[in-house]
Amino acid sequence: MKKILIISFLLFCGITACAQSLSLSDLTNMATFDMGRANVFLTQGKPFKQIYMEDKGKLTIHHYKGITPTSKCETVVIGDGFVTASGTLLHTVTYTSTQTKYILNLLGQAHAAGFNRNFLGADAYKKIYVYANGLYTMRIFINLDNSAGTVEVKQNDFVTY
């Protein structure tokens, strides 16, 4: 009887367990991809589908949503960014999830990846974390009611001599 209860419990835990679709290294890598490569990465390598595109000046922003039961709570926006004075496009990748534990997992990955925390604070609605390293700046926002969170990864502009 105990074996049946233990097996039932483990099966229940396995069925209800959710897996996050993207890691911090996925997000930083996508910040360096061109749109074609990022689209293939998300739609063929990860469980996402493109839901729409929008034109924002000279940029085309692509919006993706998870398609599996565990990834339906996740969205990714790529194609945004800004052009530097030298004409280089610096990309931004935005990941949003209604599973706050996914955002906290990415926060933990930032520490392990060598990002330095530059800011920790809050406003009336969100907790705000800012991390950076030589290549990227990452801003993490978690709603105070823990209903959702966002991770925004931006390429840094740096000058080589």
Side-chain angles (χ1 to χ4, degrees):
M1 182 65 173
K2 288 183 181 181
K3 288 182 182 179
I4 293 173
L5 287 174
I6 291 172
I7 291 171
S8 299
F9 175 74
L10 291 175
L11 284 173
F12 176 76
C13 290
I15 291 170
T16 59
C18 306
Q20 184 171 355
S21 300
L22 295 172
S23 67
L24 181 61
S25 65
D26 292 336
L27 295 175
T28 56
N29 287 337
M30 278 194 298
T32 63
F33 290 170
D34 61 37
M35 285 310 305
R37 190 170 172 198
N39 185 51
V40 168
F41 178 78
L42 285 171
T43 59
Q44 293 180 7
K46 299 292 181 180
F48 289 92
K49 73 174 182 176
Q50 185 172 336
I51 51 175
Y52 68 95
M53 296 184 317
E54 65 178 307
D55 286 328
K56 183 178 173 185
K58 296 181 181 180
L59 301 174
T60 302
I61 313 300
H62 298 253
H63 296 259
Y64 295 85
K65 183 160 181 61
I67 56 174
T68 62
T70 57
S71 69
K72 284 188 178 190
C73 63
E74 300 171 291
T75 61
V76 177
V77 178
I78 56 176
D80 200 3
F82 62 96
V83 178
T84 65
S86 64
T88 305
L89 174 63
L90 299 177
H91 296 94
T92 300
V93 176
T94 304
Y95 169 84
T96 302
S97 177
T98 57
Q99 293 286 333
T100 308
K101 63 184 174 183
Y102 292 176
I103 306 301
L104 293 173
N105 184 18
L106 291 170
L107 183 66
Q109 290 177 34
H111 291 290
F115 279 79
N116 297 316
R117 186 173 71 196
N118 294 342
F119 179 78
L120 171 62
D123 63 14
Y125 307 102
K126 298 176 185 146
K127 297 177 219 167
I128 304 166
Y129 304 84
V130 179
Y131 287 84
N133 67 13
L135 299 174
Y136 305 100
T137 298
M138 181 172 57
R139 298 186 316 168
I140 300 172
F141 305 97
I142 300 174
N143 293 354
L144 290 177
D145 64 359
N146 287 327
S147 61
T150 300
V151 176
E152 183 180 85
V153 177
K154 293 182 176 185
Q155 284 182 302
N156 288 341
D157 187 15
F158 60 93
V159 179
T160 58
Y161 296 98

